Amino acid sequence: GRLAVGCSSKEHKRDVYASDMTFDDDRVRPVSYTDKGVWILSLGRSQDIDIQFYIRKGIAKEHAKWMAVGTVSMQFEMQVKVFQQSFRQLDVSLRKKFVENCPGRVFEYNEVEQMVTAPHPERCIYCRECLSIEPPFNKLPEPLVNVRPKVNEEGHYNFVFTVESLGTMPVLSVVLKAVDMYIAKIAKVKHVLKAGAEEAQLPTRPIGTAPTAVRVVDQDLLNRNAESNEDN
């Protein structure tokens, strides 16, 4: 592509934006949320700029400048259960202290009903502060709360997956592309394992009982054969 812009002698200055760039390929365009695009520089009176640039695609494994996301995190969705019977054994000051000890502000104290509730379980980071038995909560016969990862109807753990895009690609596109890459890598590993076993004529075994189960090298049988050969 090329960037050729000038500021005339009648202008005090001229701002140069990404929209001033021209590209050899019509499919290439700068990423921007405005019509002008990102501000690049400002030219003074009678100044001009004429540069030629090359666009190269890459991945973050080569250099961080190609990274499409900033922060990626995953945490379990927590299930928080409050035992009101245990809280009744505490006075009001200790109940409020318990609420204040939570760094995620999961719990709240209801002044009217004088009860501790957990209206914000999604804020739980499983720091276990609410499960602490440090004084003055070290002489309770029963726990005050129970915190554990939430299990759905299928018996799997729910989790929250957070992806922060840097603006070059939509978050959904990044996640779907990553899934496609994992599927391709797994298929490649499957092909290499199968081809390697067939080429070396090694004994194989299926992983699971499904008809389409992947077959891998039977390492146990190889070890038994090796021990048998040593005994002979």
Side-chain angles (χ1 to χ4, degrees), residues 217-231:
V217 176
D218 193 340
Q219 191 65 42
D220 294 336
L221 182 57
L222 288 177
N223 294 337
R224 289 196 297 268
N225 293 340
E227 294 175 357
S228 178
N229 293 333
E230 292 178 358
D231 295 337

Side-chain angles (χ1 to χ4, degrees), residues 15-230:
D15 295 327
V16 181
Y17 296 91
S19 58
D20 295 319
M21 297 187 296
T22 59
F23 304 92
D24 300 331
D25 193 336
D26 295 335
R27 296 174 299 177
V28 178
R29 63 183 185 276
V31 177
S32 176
Y33 295 100
T34 62
D35 295 336
K36 292 183 177 180
V38 180
W39 173 84
I40 300 177
L41 54 87
S42 295
L43 297 175
R45 182 180 288 112
S46 300
Q47 288 184 334
D48 56 25
I49 182 173
D50 190 353
I51 59 175
Q52 188 174 6
F53 53 87
Y54 299 90
I55 301 174
R56 177 187 171 193
K57 294 179 66 176
I59 60 176
K61 189 175 181 180
E62 299 179 34
H63 197 281
K65 63 184 177 183
W66 285 305
M67 187 175 297
V69 299
T71 303
V72 179
S73 63
M74 187 197 78
Q75 70 178 52
F76 286 109
E77 184 178 350
M78 306 306 296
Q79 183 178 8
V80 183
K81 185 176 181 180
V82 179
F83 300 116
Q84 298 297 340
Q85 187 65 29
S86 299
F87 274 103
R88 292 191 181 96
Q89 303 178 27
L90 302 178
D91 55 30
V92 174
S93 61
L94 291 181
R95 297 178 191 179
K96 293 182 179 180
K97 182 176 178 59
F98 174 87
V99 173
E100 295 173 356
N101 287 345
C102 178
R105 297 296 181 261
V106 176
F107 304 96
E108 289 184 359
Y109 180 72
N110 190 318
E111 294 285 355
V112 178
E113 299 181 358
Q114 296 186 346
M115 295 174 57
V116 175
T117 59
H120 306 292
E122 71 279 358
R123 299 179 183 176
C124 180
I125 58 175
Y126 202 51
C127 65
R128 301 177 65 88
E129 186 68 29
C130 58
L131 303 177
S132 174
I133 56 175
E134 296 293 329
F137 306 105
N138 58 335
K139 296 182 179 180
L140 298 176
E142 298 178 353
L144 298 174
V145 295
N146 181 24
V147 181
R148 62 180 180 179
K150 188 176 182 179
V151 180
N152 56 30
E153 297 178 354
E154 299 178 355
H156 300 150
Y157 291 112
N158 292 340
F159 63 90
V160 179
F161 188 56
T162 305
V163 180
E164 178 186 353
S165 174
L166 296 180
T168 56
M169 293 178 62
V171 173
L172 183 59
S173 299
V174 173
V175 175
L176 294 179
K177 186 66 176 179
V179 173
D180 291 339
M181 293 180 65
Y182 273 115
I183 293 175
K185 289 182 178 181
I186 293 174
K188 184 177 180 180
V189 171
K190 175 183 176 180
H191 173 74
V192 171
L193 291 176
K194 184 178 180 180
E198 293 177 351
E199 181 179 353
Q201 296 183 351
L202 299 175
T204 61
R205 64 175 179 83
I207 300 179
T209 58
T212 58
V214 179
R215 300 191 66 86
V216 297
V217 176
D218 193 340
Q219 191 65 42
D220 294 336
L221 182 57
L222 288 177
N223 294 337
R224 289 196 297 268
N225 293 340
E227 294 175 357
S228 178
N229 293 333
E230 292 178 358

